[in-house]
Amino acid sequence: MVKMISSRRSNVRLLNQDGSNRTKIFKADDRLFRSLSDSFTLLINQDWPLTILLSSSAFILTWITFASIWMLVQTFTPDFLFLNKKPDDRCIANVNNFLEAFFFSVETQFTIGYGFRYISGNCIVAVVLLVLQCMVSAFMDSVAVAIVIAKVSRPKMRANTIKFSKVGCIYENEDGVKVFAVRVGDMYSDSDIPECHIRMYLIREEEFVEATPNGLSVSEMTIDTNETIERSIVLTDLDVGYDKGYDRILLVLPWIIEHKITEDSPLYGIKKSDFDHSFIEIIVVLEGTVEETGSTTQAKTSYNGSNIIWNESFKNIVTVNVQRQRLETNFGLFDKTEPIVTRRLVPRRVESMENSCKRRTSTFAFTQPQKTSYM
């Protein structure tokens, strides 16, 4: 439970609909230190242009640094650090200024191969510095390759193909039970997401009650002459059939995920005006395994009063093509809804499978007259 000073604004939300975080962190004095302590993750999460800029800057900085050191070695190395020094011996042949030292540093770090410029085998300092720069180069190359591979293969990219409906719906289903429903589908049909499961959460504000000598009271305070009430943000789990395993789905087809608003539901008794005048948000989270890498991916979205439609349900978008013997999904209708009173669904069930079909009525267990169609 998190305390929040609220002015009852219904447009406040924790997440954007694309799943990005809207929260703001402030007065975190050690935030920069903690972020830099995990610099590898910090670099992975940066945009490509910034990652390329930082990597290029790091390489250029090492070239300039070692060029400066090579120039110092070339200029100030004493004679006793040479083996069998001859009168004209120098640590690096044909390096007479900083630009030539810079070229030599680049050649060394990328192991291009020495030609006109090369080190003398009699200069001990040059040999030691050559080994050191090669070690630094190998380390930087490894980090750069690791960052690129991690950014390309990170499971966060796979979540971009997961599509949630832009709206959620509250309506009575075929059993006469009021439900909150959203639609989810995978737009990438060439790769499955094993172990795919759904979670749904309700976030709402409640009055923060504190103990006083005379009993319980609601804490109040005034900010800039606007009276606000101190409230708490409460996170509550919305059941989508966890105990029966209905939260696990096979995401080869779009599915409609329902939360039944029964007496045990945190949404029980909620009205449309409650969404319009207070902070209420429903967050839907999908987690699964990326088939190609084995990593866990997560996609999430958010719904508040402006994204919830009452007394309408989603249109059917999956149809059976009998001639080609396949199912076809029309993602153009993915976010489309229709009034629940005009949607007359005809169940086509085998009587012996009545119970097993009921638990999937939120997806595509019903068909419309004169054509086979799925939700």
Side-chain angles (χ1 to χ4, degrees), residues 17-19 155-166 183-189 191-194 196-198 249-255 257 284-290 296-301 303 331 334-335:
Q17 279 210 286
D18 60 0
K156 189 175 182 179
M157 305 304 293
R158 181 64 176 89
N160 292 336
T161 63
I162 304 300
K163 183 176 177 62
F164 292 97
S165 57
K166 294 180 181 179
R183 180 142 58 190
V184 60
D186 186 7
M187 301 184 69
Y188 186 47
S189 59
S191 175
D192 295 332
I193 301 183
C196 185
H197 56 275
I198 291 283
I249 58 177
L250 184 63
L251 207 59
V252 296
L253 285 175
W255 295 86
I257 309 301
V284 183
V285 181
L286 181 145
E287 291 184 350
T289 304
V290 181
T296 300
T297 186
Q298 183 185 86
K300 51 185 178 289
T301 190
Y303 301 92
F331 270 92
F334 191 86
D335 299 310

Side-chain angles (χ1 to χ4, degrees), residues 330-370:
N330 181 3
F331 270 92
L333 300 176
F334 191 86
D335 299 310
K336 301 298 183 181
T337 61
E338 57 188 355
I340 195 68
V341 293
T342 63
R343 189 164 179 257
R344 310 300 298 176
L345 298 180
V346 179
R348 292 185 180 177
R349 300 172 176 163
V350 179
E351 192 66 26
S352 62
M353 297 182 64
E354 176 77 15
N355 294 330
S356 63
C357 286
K358 274 188 176 180
R359 67 184 184 186
R360 289 303 181 190
T361 55
S362 63
T363 54
F364 57 91
F366 288 88
T367 61
Q368 292 182 342
Q370 298 180 353

Side-chain angles (χ1 to χ4, degrees), residues 243-262:
D243 54 340
K244 297 181 180 179
Y246 300 161
D247 61 316
R248 298 188 177 275
I249 58 177
L250 184 63
L251 207 59
V252 296
L253 285 175
W255 295 86
I256 296 177
I257 309 301
E258 288 185 351
H259 164 71
K260 295 183 177 180
I261 307 178
T262 60

Side-chain angles (χ1 to χ4, degrees), residues 206-220:
E206 295 182 357
E207 293 182 355
F208 177 68
V209 181
E210 61 179 6
T212 65
N214 297 325
L216 299 177
S217 64
V218 177
S219 175
E220 295 186 2

Side-chain angles (χ1 to χ4, degrees), residues 62-63 66-67 70 101-110 133:
T62 56
W63 298 338
F66 276 100
W70 283 117
F102 180 80
F103 289 156
F104 182 79
S105 176
V106 174
E107 292 173 357
T108 300
Q109 188 153 332
F110 282 101
Q133 186 170 4

